[in-house]
Amino acid sequence: MAHAEPDNFTIRAMTRADLDRAVEWAAAEGWNPGLDDAGCFHAADPAGFLMGFAGDEPVASISVVRYADTFGFLGLYIVRPEWRGRGFGYRLWQAGMDHLTGRIVGLDGVVAQQANYARSGFALAHRNVRFGGAAQVDAPDDPRIRPVDAALVEAVLAYDRDFFPAARDTFLRCWLKDDARKALAFVEEGAVKGYGVLRACRSGFKIGPLFAEGEREADLLFRALTARAGGAEIFLDLPEPNEAAIRLAARHGLSPVFETARMYRGEAPDLPLSRTYGISTFELG
């Protein structure tokens, strides 16, 4: 996918190395990406990441990941500071939206850009708030908390389908692997009733997703995951409408540090926010 412009601005699908570069830009913006996010991001849709170049210089990025035929998610929308104000970002935006033609599109945008997104047809669904802090917890001694191993993966994939507008098995099979992240499930009477994933970030650790049937299961999963962070800072990106999630974060000493606007172009999916205690990532939904 390449678009030549009179001023030698071109757009192409990112290579894996390009995606690593875009994640570094996200870190420079203060978004605190995970240390090993790029591999799973790329697995979700290898063609879903576009980079803009001024000549040979990479200057802008956007992710436009396609989930099935019905849904896409937009993220990593960055123009390097020294290249802003030249219209490159808007051209890349247009190419990204073309990539998602015919799909409902979601994004988690910084609040300052909400009006711009609205002009492109996006409507606010709710705010997401990032809570952070050094939570000091002991791991719960509860046999219902189990590692997501090969025997549990299929059940966790099935559980996840209630929480996302389309199946995302390729992404999750990577995200749930035990090499760079730690995934735990709450299993009661043979049924998955919640799961969460902990990953190391540039600063501290993020928990995401954190989905659970109720506050009890969410709290046990949160404590089990946080105990594995060794006292480092924990960040949890939660949907503001979920008051139980806010209680959970506050109870463990976390406080708001950042927020985004969850917006959709097209009909907003009916997702169970009351059971969503932590979203997966601001980049991929």
Side-chain angles (χ1 to χ4, degrees):
M1 185 178 192
H3 307 258
E5 298 290 346
D7 54 10
N8 206 24
F9 181 72
T10 57
I11 296 169
R12 69 173 187 233
M14 291 189 205
T15 64
R16 254 308 263 110
D18 289 333
L19 181 52
D20 287 336
R21 180 180 289 116
V23 172
E24 288 298 325
W25 294 350
E29 292 292 319
W31 297 354
N32 194 26
L35 296 181
D36 197 41
D37 284 354
C40 293
F41 287 180
H42 192 259
D45 178 10
F49 300 87
L50 306 180
M51 186 161 277
F53 293 81
D56 295 327
E57 182 77 11
V59 300
S61 66
I62 196 168
S63 61
V64 279
V65 170
R66 297 169 297 188
Y67 295 100
D69 296 326
T70 56
F71 185 69
F73 203 86
L74 186 152
L76 283 176
Y77 183 39
I78 303 168
V79 179
R80 287 169 59 193
E82 63 270 31
W83 293 91
R84 291 173 186 170
R86 306 190 196 191
F88 295 155
Y90 183 62
R91 291 186 214 173
L92 186 60
W93 171 274
Q94 289 177 307
M97 293 305 293
D98 286 347
H99 190 74
L100 296 176
T101 296
R103 290 171 169 83
I104 295 169
V105 182
L107 62 80
D108 282 320
V110 294
V111 174
Q113 291 295 323
Q114 187 174 326
N116 286 335
Y117 296 139
R119 283 192 285 274
S120 293
F122 284 80
L124 178 67
H126 57 84
R127 295 198 308 163
N128 288 320
V129 182
R130 173 168 295 166
F131 279 74
Q136 301 295 330
V137 302
D138 294 321
D141 182 15
D142 193 317
R144 295 171 297 181
I145 302 290
R146 292 173 45 186
V148 179
D149 55 17
L152 263 184
V153 166
E154 295 303 325
V156 169
L157 294 180
Y159 184 79
D160 186 81
R161 288 191 187 115
D162 276 353
F163 294 87
F164 204 74
R168 51 176 181 168
D169 291 10
T170 305
F171 167 72
L172 283 179
R173 286 185 194 281
C174 179
W175 203 245
L176 295 169
K177 282 182 183 174
D178 202 20
D179 48 0
R181 284 158 293 274
K182 184 64 182 178
L184 298 175
F186 185 96
V187 183
E188 192 170 48
E189 297 177 353
V192 172
K193 295 187 176 179
Y195 85 97
V197 179
L198 176 80
R199 74 193 197 277
C201 296
R202 305 306 168 95
S203 172
F205 289 77
K206 284 182 186 171
I207 294 176
L210 180 58
F211 302 147
E213 293 305 289
E215 195 169 351
R216 171 194 64 141
E217 295 90 345
D219 192 83
L220 284 164
L221 284 164
F222 178 89
R223 286 190 283 131
L225 291 164
T226 297
R228 287 163 168 79
E233 270 196 305
I234 290 289
F235 298 96
L236 182 68
D237 299 336
L238 59 86
E240 188 182 49
N242 186 345
E243 295 179 358
I246 293 173
R247 284 197 302 271
L248 183 154
R251 183 164 62 246
H252 293 295
L254 309 187
S255 55
V257 295
F258 183 67
E259 68 178 75
T260 65
R262 171 61 64 91
M263 305 180 78
Y264 294 99
R265 189 188 71 168
E267 184 178 354
D270 183 17
L271 300 178
L273 297 184
S274 65
R275 294 186 286 143
T276 301
Y277 289 80
I279 68 163
S280 304
T281 79
F282 284 155
E283 294 82 13
L284 265 68

